[in-house]
Amino acid sequence: MAALPRRIIKETQRLMQEPVPGISAIPDESNARYFHVIVTGPEDSPFEGGLFKLELFLPEDYPMSAPKVRFITKIYHPNIDRLGRICLDILKDKWSPALQIRTVLLSIQALLSAPNPDDPLANDVAELWKVNESEAIRNAKEWTRRYAMDT
Amino acid sequence: MNFVVIAFKSLVHNLLRMFGFGKGVMRNDLDIYIKTNTGNTLSISLDPAWDIKNVKQVVAPQLGLAPEEVKIIFAGKELKDTITISECDLGQKSVLHAVKSKRKLQVVPSEQSVIEEEDVGSKPLSETLQDSKFYDQRDEKLSKDIIQRKVHFYVFCPTCKSLRNGKLRVRCEICKSGAFTVYEDPQNWDDVLNSKQIPGYCENDLCQSKDSYNSEFNFAEFFFKCSDHISLGEDDTAVPLYLIKTNLREVPCLACGDICDPVFVFPCKDGHVACLECFRQYCSVRLAERQFWQHPEHGYTLSCPTGCPDSFIQEVHHFRLLTETQYAQYQKFATEEFVLRSGGVLCPQPGCGMGILIDEGCKKVACVNGCGYVFCRDCLQGYHIGECESNVDTSNAAGCVYSVDPSKAASARWDEASKVAIRVLTKPCPKCRTPTERDGGCMHMVCTRAGCDFHWCWVCQTPWTRECMGNHWFG
C-alpha cells in the first residue's frame, strides 16, 4: 500500500484536534482511509437525539474523487435509501478537490435538517414526505428512536 | 568553413594567452555560433569569463569591421560591452547575432546619442525580466529576494519529452531572424504569447520589412528553447506551459494543501492553485472517467476542478504532463470525441474503433481505411436493409435442428459475449446514444458523457419529466 498522502494525514489531525460539533470521525486502526463516523441528529429535526453511524472511505484518487459515504444506522429520510446510500450532489458530480471530509460531513448533517424530497433516493419515503409530511416526520422520529438510540 | 573554424581556434588561443587566461586551468568553453547579417555563420569557442567586448574583438575582423562598429544581439537585446558571457543565459550551440552598428553612420549625432554611446545595450531579455513582475501584477509586499528573482519559464520540451525550464528568445515576426532588438520589454504572458504586442527593430538586411516604408518598426515574435539539452538548431523550440508558474506567494495546493514550487494556476477568476502532482492526478482521474470536454476552440480540455465558470485550459500542451501512455489515450479520446461531435461514427468492430465522418442521410457505412466492416449508422450492427431491430432477437434459434437455450446460445458467441452484455445491461442515452448502465438508485439518469449531461428516464428512454417522477421514479 502506498504511503498515506499528506493531505489525508493533515485532515485527520485536524478532525481530531478540532472536531466538528455533533460529528465524530475516527480512522480505522487498520486502514487510515476508512473512517468510523457518528453524526448526532440535528436539533429541531425528526432525527434529534439520535446517533447515526456512517462509514466514510477515501478512495485511491482522493481528493480528486469524492469520498464514499454511507449510513450504517437505518434512517427514514427521502435522500437516503435502504442501503444507506446518500443522494447528495457534492458526493457525485459537484465534488471538488477543494472540499474536505469535514465539509462533506457537515453537508450530510445539514441534509438531516433539511430533507429534499424533490431529489429523492428512497421513493416511498419521498412520496410520503410530499403527500403527508406530518406522517413522514412521525415515521422518521419513530425510526430514530428505534434504530439510532439503542446504545 | 572548416578552415575558418581552425583559424578561429588558434586565434582564440593566442588571444587567451595574451590575456593571461591560458594557465593550464580547465575552462568550460562554450561552443556557440555567430550569425552575421550578411548570412554567414561562424563557429567559435568562448570562455564564460569573457565580456562582450572580447567577443567583439574576436568577431570584428571576420566581418571586416572595427570592434566598435559591431553590435552583438541576443534574446531581443543588444548586449552591453561590460557584461560577461556567463551572465547571458547562453548554452552550448547558442546563436549570437553580430551586425554592423548603424550608429556610427549618423551624420549629425545629437547630444543624447553621444551619451547613449557610452553604455548602450543591456543584458538579454531573459536575464532582465523578473518573476515578480511577470507572475504577480498586484502591488503587495514581497520580500526583496523574491522581487529580484530572475523570471522562470516552464516549457514542454519535445526532445527531453518532459517539463523543463525554458529560455525566452526573440526573433523578427517577418523574417524570423534573431537579429532583432525590442523597443520595450514584455510585461506579461499576453505580450509574449500574442503576436504584434512588442515592437522592435530587425537588423537582418534581407528582411522583407526593409522594403516597406516603415522599416524601423517591426513586431517581435517570442519563442522558447529548452534549457536542459544542447540546442539542436534554431528550429529546436519548446512549447511554453504558461499556466505553470513560480509560486511567489507560497499558495498551498487546493487538493493536497502542500506549498510547492512551481505550481499550476488554473485560468479561473480566483486563479486556483494546484501542485503539479495533484494537477497530474486531476487529469488522469478525469481522463480515466472520460470527463474531458471537447471545446470548439481550445480542443479536448479541462476546467478548474472547483467548478469555476469559464476556466478551460486553452493550451492543451499542458496535458503533456501526463505519462506517455496517458497522453496517447488523451489523443485517442480527443479524436473520438471530435469525430462524434462532427456527426461521425466510430467503427463498432471490436479492436477497430476507427473514426468515420459520413454524409448526412447515409446509412450504410464502410470502415474503409480500417477493418473494412460494413455497418448500419443507426444501430451500429452489420449493415441491413430496412428498419433496425430494436432488441436482441434470439428467437431465430427456433428454426435450429438442435434445441439450445437461446440465452445460452447468445452468451456463448465468440466476441459477441461482450456485445450481448452491453445490450442486455445498458440502454443508450436518448441524446448521444452512449450505452449507459444503471447500477442502482432511481430511474432519473444523467448522461455522464462529457458535454452531454442529458437528463433522461431509464424506463421511457425519453427526457426526464414530472410524469416520470410521479409514475416510476423507482420503477
Side-chain angles (χ1 to χ4, degrees):
Chain A
M1 170 124 186
L4 203 61
R6 195 117 53 93
R7 150 130 181 193
I8 297 182
I9 296 170
K10 272 199 221 158
E11 275 201 61
T12 310
Q13 282 171 346
R14 185 148 174 249
L15 279 169
M16 297 299 179
Q17 285 159 4
E18 318 159 34
V20 193
I23 295 172
S24 97
I26 297 156
D28 190 85
E29 280 172 18
S30 59
N31 184 353
R33 286 175 175 269
Y34 184 93
F35 288 75
H36 302 272
V37 179
I38 295 171
V39 173
T40 53
E43 274 176 39
D44 301 324
S45 81
F47 311 101
E48 185 175 353
L51 290 177
F52 297 90
K53 279 190 205 159
L54 294 91
E55 56 181 4
L56 182 147
F57 180 70
L58 303 175
E60 188 60 38
D61 295 330
Y62 181 82
M64 292 306 159
S65 304
K68 308 242 177 287
V69 198
R70 190 178 77 89
F71 272 83
I72 295 173
T73 306
K74 270 171 83 81
I75 182 166
Y76 194 86
H77 190 288
N79 308 105
I80 301 159
D81 76 358
R82 275 176 300 139
L83 300 174
R85 294 180 299 196
I86 307 162
C87 184
L88 187 61
D89 54 0
I90 61 158
L91 293 176
K92 300 198 173 82
D93 52 325
K94 293 283 185 293
W95 170 254
S96 141
L99 297 170
Q100 303 180 4
I101 301 173
R102 171 182 297 267
T103 41
V104 164
L105 294 178
L106 276 169
S107 301
I108 291 173
Q109 203 181 33
L111 190 67
L112 296 187
S113 294
N116 177 10
D118 282 333
D119 189 16
L121 204 56
N123 192 34
D124 47 339
V125 180
E127 200 75 40
L128 189 63
W129 216 281
K130 289 176 91 169
V131 178
N132 188 345
E133 192 176 342
S134 59
E135 196 190 332
I137 289 174
R138 239 189 343 269
N139 284 346
K141 281 185 181 162
E142 171 61 20
W143 281 40
T144 304
R145 202 180 50 75
R146 205 189 301 166
Y147 302 112
M149 291 186 188
D150 58 357
T151 44
Chain B
M1 199 68 206
N2 258 343
F3 152 75
V4 174
V5 175
I6 293 162
F8 238 94
K9 280 205 169 149
S10 68
L11 181 75
V12 167
H13 274 274
N14 288 337
L15 273 169
L16 281 176
R17 225 165 282 155
M18 256 163 58
F19 287 116
F21 284 130
K23 287 174 185 165
V25 187
M26 279 286 285
R27 288 183 293 103
N28 303 316
D29 276 359
L30 271 178
D31 290 320
I32 64 146
Y33 297 108
I34 299 217
K35 264 199 165 181
T36 69
N37 54 344
T38 50
N40 291 332
T41 304
L42 313 169
S43 167
I44 67 170
S45 204
L46 298 178
D47 183 328
W50 280 11
D51 61 21
I52 294 302
K53 203 166 186 178
N54 297 140
V55 178
K56 285 182 180 173
Q57 281 161 350
V58 172
V59 173
Q62 298 293 316
L63 300 173
L65 297 168
E68 306 80 60
E69 286 181 293
V70 176
K71 277 206 274 191
I72 302 287
I73 294 171
F74 185 64
K77 292 282 175 162
E78 177 185 348
L79 301 182
K80 203 171 166 173
D81 275 0
T82 50
I83 60 167
T84 61
I85 298 294
S86 58
E87 292 174 289
C88 286
D89 194 27
L90 286 169
Q92 294 285 355
K93 308 257 152 84
S94 283
V95 180
L96 286 177
H97 295 266
V99 298
K100 190 177 174 192
S101 172
K102 295 190 171 65
R103 278 191 306 276
K104 287 280 163 189
L105 300 177
Q106 279 176 343
V107 187
V108 193
S110 69
E111 287 279 306
Q112 250 188 333
S113 76
V114 173
I115 296 162
E116 267 176 21
E117 212 83 334
E118 297 298 309
D119 58 345
V120 81
S122 72
K123 288 184 178 182
L125 204 48
S126 48
E127 295 292 304
T128 53
L129 296 177
Q130 284 159 358
D131 263 349
S132 54
K133 289 225 180 81
F134 220 78
Y135 289 127
D136 213 318
Q137 312 261 305
R138 291 169 292 190
D139 294 323
E140 284 174 46
K141 280 174 206 134
L142 285 165
S143 76
K144 259 198 177 151
D145 291 355
I146 290 175
I147 288 174
Q148 284 163 4
R149 249 172 29 187
K150 198 178 99 180
V151 70
H152 287 73
F153 294 109
Y154 301 94
V155 295
F156 176 77
C157 172
T159 307
C160 306
K161 292 204 184 330
S162 64
L163 177 71
R164 290 283 185 260
N165 281 307
K167 301 189 287 190
L168 178 71
R169 295 292 178 259
V170 186
R171 60 190 170 201
C172 169
E173 185 197 48
I174 295 170
C175 71
K176 313 288 176 200
S177 162
F180 190 93
T181 50
V182 293
Y183 290 148
E184 57 191 74
D185 292 357
Q187 295 301 320
N188 50 45
W189 274 111
D190 285 342
D191 287 348
V192 169
L193 296 174
N194 301 331
S195 62
K196 301 206 191 300
Q197 300 296 312
I198 299 295
Y201 178 70
C202 181
E203 300 274 2
N204 178 11
D205 291 339
L206 307 170
C207 180
Q208 282 174 3
S209 70
K210 297 288 170 270
D211 303 337
S212 77
Y213 82 107
N214 195 5
S215 66
E216 294 283 313
F217 197 78
N218 244 321
F219 281 104
E221 181 178 281
F222 294 93
F223 66 104
F224 290 86
K225 292 185 86 78
C226 168
S227 61
D228 227 55
H229 70 271
I230 295 172
S231 174
L232 304 173
E234 285 180 276
D235 295 332
D236 179 23
T237 59
V239 194
L241 302 182
Y242 56 87
L243 295 177
I244 297 176
K245 298 178 185 181
T246 314
N247 195 359
L248 295 174
R249 24 194 95 246
E250 306 190 322
V251 181
C253 166
L254 69 89
C256 68
D258 289 351
I259 295 170
C260 301
D261 191 28
V263 287
F264 187 93
V265 182
F266 283 92
C268 54
K269 214 173 119 235
D270 293 335
H272 284 117
V273 166
C275 71
L276 297 187
E277 205 32 63
C278 287
F279 174 69
R280 281 194 185 96
Q281 207 194 353
Y282 173 56
C283 296
S284 57
V285 167
R286 294 262 122 175
L287 185 69
E289 292 171 355
R290 208 170 168 146
Q291 291 293 310
F292 276 61
W293 260 81
Q294 184 68 47
H295 191 280
E297 284 159 49
H298 318 318
Y300 201 48
T301 189
L302 285 176
S303 55
C304 173
T306 59
C308 298
D310 304 325
S311 58
F312 284 109
I313 296 167
Q314 300 188 9
E315 174 54 88
V316 294
H317 280 97
H318 285 103
F319 302 123
R320 292 305 303 245
L321 293 185
L322 289 163
T323 63
E324 287 281 301
T325 328
Q326 285 173 322
Y327 191 72
Q329 191 178 37
Y330 163 83
Q331 286 179 307
K332 181 171 178 279
F333 286 177
T335 316
E336 288 179 1
E337 286 297 326
F338 177 79
V339 169
L340 292 172
R341 286 288 157 97
S342 315
V345 289
L346 304 175
C347 174
Q349 193 73 337
C352 181
M354 169 74 83
I356 306 163
L357 293 170
I358 35 183
D359 298 332
E360 195 74 30
C362 174
K363 213 178 145 210
K364 183 180 177 181
V365 185
C367 184
V368 176
N369 295 314
C371 63
Y373 186 53
V374 181
F375 59 96
C376 165
R377 178 197 197 150
D378 295 334
C379 65
L380 301 181
Q381 301 303 308
Y383 180 70
H384 56 86
I385 296 164
E387 296 285 300
C388 302
E389 290 174 27
S390 55
N391 284 312
V392 196
D393 189 8
T394 46
S395 61
N396 53 4
C400 284
V401 180
Y402 300 106
S403 161
V404 181
D405 179 354
S407 64
K408 279 189 183 152
S411 57
R413 278 184 288 178
W414 190 264
D415 261 353
E416 287 281 307
S418 54
K419 277 195 206 164
V420 169
I422 290 169
R423 244 177 266 149
V424 170
L425 296 174
T426 72
K427 288 184 180 179
C429 162
K431 193 177 167 207
C432 72
R433 293 189 297 171
T434 299
T436 310
E437 184 186 5
R438 178 174 158 269
D439 65 352
C442 62
M443 298 296 165
H444 181 185
M445 309 296 289
V446 182
C447 183
T448 52
R449 207 183 116 220
C452 183
D453 301 323
F454 187 66
H455 289 249
W456 56 286
C457 171
W458 179 261
V459 177
C460 310
Q461 288 180 246
T462 54
W464 182 249
T465 60
R466 279 264 148 197
E467 280 72 57
C468 299
M469 201 184 272
N471 298 335
H472 44 256
W473 225 335
F474 282 81

